[in-house]
Amino acid sequence: MTAAQDPGEDVPIGDYAVVGDMRTAALVSPEGSVDWLCLPRFDSPSVFASLLGTEQDGRWLVRVTGGEVESRDYVEGTFVFRTTWRGPEGRAEILTFMPHSDGRSDMVRLVRCTEGRVEIEHELIMRFEYATLRPWVHRTTVTHDGESVEVLTAVGGPSRLILHGPLPEPVPEDDAHRGRHTLTAGEELAWVLTGQASWKPLPSPIDVPAVLEETVADWRRWSGQIHATGPWARQVTRSLTVLRALTHIDTGGIVAAATTSLPEDPGGERNWDYRYTWLRDSALTLQAMVLHGLDGGAKAWRDWLLRAIAGHANQVRIMYGLAGERDLTERELPHLRGYADSRPVRIGNGAASQYQTDVVGEVMLALADLRHAGIDEDDYTWGIQKLLLSTQADRLDEPGHGIWEMRGDTHFFTHGRVMAWAAFDQGVRAVEEHDLSGDVDRWRELRDRLRTEIEERGVGPDGAFRQTYDAGEVDASLLQIPHTGFCDHDDPRMLATVRRLEEELVDDHGFLHRYRMDERGNMDGLEGAEAPFLICTFWLVEQYARTGRVQDAERLMHACVDAGAPLDLLAEEYDPASGQMLGNYPQAFSHLGLVRAADAIAQVRGDSG
């Protein structure tokens, strides 16, 4: 049973449910408040932003008056969310979902009284442009099947929201709309909130029962394709479902997360906008999809990639907008207080202009997986990969910012150098194993040069791989080295690296930090600290499993999975001391790490299907 949230407190990040239509996503609090929604895309300006501010920055509340939450979970195999309430005189369930098949931007709140009598509280506070614009709200009518239907509309500049269903009354002093409705057993009511361009004709009502049935069926058709076995099959299925929900249905771009500026360090400055498509994150997501039989999504991402990076080789960027946009200028929103008073709130991402040596290698590894899965390669798709290898060769002697997008000085990161090795290795393999054409002699030369360099400069006196060529620290990204084929998981250098990670970066609960955060090793140029990164901890699970430490792997896997309970949704970081998720949410990186870790344990245990 969940008690009411104190209005002055921030809802824990991991307590939010997420619903979406594969164009955008909304965060729903345990109290039934939609506290974050951007329309029509993940990276559009918000219409509800109380997640990063106060209720007056926009929210949509539907709840049982005086009630308590009995259960919250997704309808099995779907992204349709169900909350069961117990009120003073009865029970009700509220379904929240966003259909995606009709191309509209609709959010549905369907309330069903299942027992006795309940009173439903409804509050709608609409704020456009990240809560900088209070729209003009009025009632009007639309004609549907020859009948006039009254709707509530909110208009501001290019944006409009339309509410179908029982209309709340305005509250002039705070520009909110509120209402209460009584239902008895067997009765139901529904609201549909539609976002659209302000100049378009008002939309017709949707058939809520039919759309709900269609939405459930679509999600189940997709999730029914997933090949997942072993003790964490449910979490693997949920993670892959999250990855689908974060994939833009029209463009194929995969956002890193549905939110911006949820803090890595509460009260601090480590607040970033993750509503964009990173080549690295997308490549790793593609690999997870291919391994679980979801090659349709993988092909959509490949097509997105080819469009996004098309052009001259030296124009390749590490991240793009959902349709391949390159201008992701970072700016701050000083009027929003920030989640847990974490400022600044940022939109855009300045890391888009960084050079990160590892990105081409991760993309080449993912596209190789597509080839191995039997997905056809043609002159165009292979031609783009040759352009990527040309970029890698042209910038091979240039230091980078690393996988963690450090905003300090550039370095030769060992992880990045290994990924550059992997890029040329995959180019050579494509020619030798798949009869593709390319400058294989040049790629082989660069690959061999990189191996020699890494073995001479990327390994410290203790025999462990090190974070950079010019320092002796370790970094969790080094756990990715065996993923490339550069060496095995049980290579002595990897085992030495794991010992260093356990000594220096693993906390008392077994969770792994990315890199040292003290004055000796912190190169990211930012104030404050951060919690352990979930994907890093999942990489450690995989490393344990692949080297025979299966009990250690399973113990740590249980801890990671428990962190996401009860909704099986993961943020970027997890603080085991407080039991709180931190960072943007839900995080594709974390979920694909879970998939890899579960697969590794299942394969070692012989449970893979």
Side-chain angles (χ1 to χ4, degrees), residues 294-404:
L294 303 170
D295 57 4
K299 286 195 293 185
W301 176 81
R302 185 189 69 176
D303 292 343
W304 174 91
L305 171 72
L306 298 175
R307 294 192 306 271
I309 68 176
H312 197 274
N314 63 12
Q315 296 175 327
V316 174
R317 298 172 69 83
I318 66 164
M319 73 175 88
Y320 298 85
L322 283 169
E325 298 91 346
R326 294 165 179 253
D327 183 3
L328 307 182
T329 302
E330 183 174 302
R331 62 188 179 94
E332 298 177 3
L333 302 178
H335 64 283
L336 291 174
R337 72 172 180 91
Y339 180 92
D341 295 311
S342 305
R343 295 188 179 94
V345 173
R346 294 181 173 96
I347 56 174
N349 199 306
S353 61
Q354 290 185 354
Y355 173 59
Q356 297 173 14
T357 316
D358 64 291
V359 169
V360 172
E362 277 148 340
V363 170
M364 292 296 294
L365 286 164
L367 294 177
D369 282 349
L370 281 184
R371 279 194 297 274
H372 298 324
I375 296 175
D376 291 339
E377 194 86 79
D378 57 32
D379 290 342
Y380 179 58
T381 61
W382 175 239
I384 293 291
Q385 291 169 72
K386 290 194 288 186
L387 283 177
L388 288 174
L389 292 175
S390 176
T391 296
Q392 191 84 82
D394 289 345
R395 306 188 73 172
L396 198 57
D397 296 323
E398 182 178 341
H401 289 89
I403 183 176
W404 307 125

Side-chain angles (χ1 to χ4, degrees), residues 95 97 99 107-112 164 188-192 205-215:
L95 296 177
F97 66 99
M107 171 172 275
V108 181
R109 315 291 301 272
L110 173 62
V111 184
R112 294 168 172 163
H164 287 89
E188 65 180 44
L189 58 83
W191 289 279
V192 180
I206 63 172
D207 183 339
V208 171
V211 169
L212 172 61
E213 182 179 358
E214 180 181 3
T215 302

Side-chain angles (χ1 to χ4, degrees), residues 221-237:
R221 277 192 300 270
W222 189 87
S223 62
Q225 304 173 67
I226 295 173
H227 308 311
T229 58
W232 295 287
R234 180 170 68 89
Q235 286 80 13
V236 168
T237 299

